[in-house]
Amino acid sequence: MDEAQFALARSPDLAAMQWIKENTPPEAIFLVEAYRIYGGTTIVGSDGGWYLPLLTRRQTYLPPQYALLNEVPIEPDYSERAVQLIADLENFALSSAEGIRVLCDYGISHIYLG
């Protein structure tokens, strides 16, 4: 099996993670690329951004898959809101007025595209 084919975080991601640690505030909240699965009931990361919390100590709106499916969130509706964020962004370009409103509504301060 070619492990590189399935890797989500590669060398450019690791360099970006270092830059993020050095150049973004600790309270930053990142939007990372994700998509809905299981009939739209949960979300998963699709690139190295999924590792942002682990590698940078910065928050994303995308918790680990295991947590979404099997853990009780601290905020009662967190999982539903995380899924809804991705669903909302499927309908609007990020640069559109609607897309920017969605990002602001969810408190997103930065975007990571890996």
Side-chain angles (χ1 to χ4, degrees), residues 88-89 91-103:
D88 289 347
L89 291 175
N91 296 313
F92 306 115
L94 289 177
S95 60
S96 70
E98 296 87 356
I100 292 169
R101 179 191 50 77
V102 168
L103 295 175

Side-chain angles (χ1 to χ4, degrees), residues 22 71 75 88-89 93:
E22 295 171 359
E71 300 291 332
E75 299 172 35
D88 289 347
L89 291 175

Side-chain angles (χ1 to χ4, degrees), residues 49-110:
W50 207 359
Y51 291 94
L52 242 153
L54 178 65
L55 298 175
T56 68
R57 299 277 194 236
R58 300 303 186 271
Q59 183 178 346
T60 72
Y61 220 84
L62 180 62
Q65 177 62 30
Y66 178 83
L68 272 175
L69 293 175
N70 298 302
E71 300 291 332
V72 176
I74 293 171
E75 299 172 35
D77 62 343
Y78 179 80
S79 298
E80 292 81 9
R81 284 193 340 259
V83 172
Q84 190 59 51
L85 167 63
I86 301 307
D88 289 347
L89 291 175
E90 289 173 355
N91 296 313
F92 306 115
L94 289 177
S95 60
S96 70
E98 296 87 356
I100 292 169
R101 179 191 50 77
V102 168
L103 295 175
C104 291
D105 287 349
Y106 285 88
I108 304 297
S109 61
H110 294 74

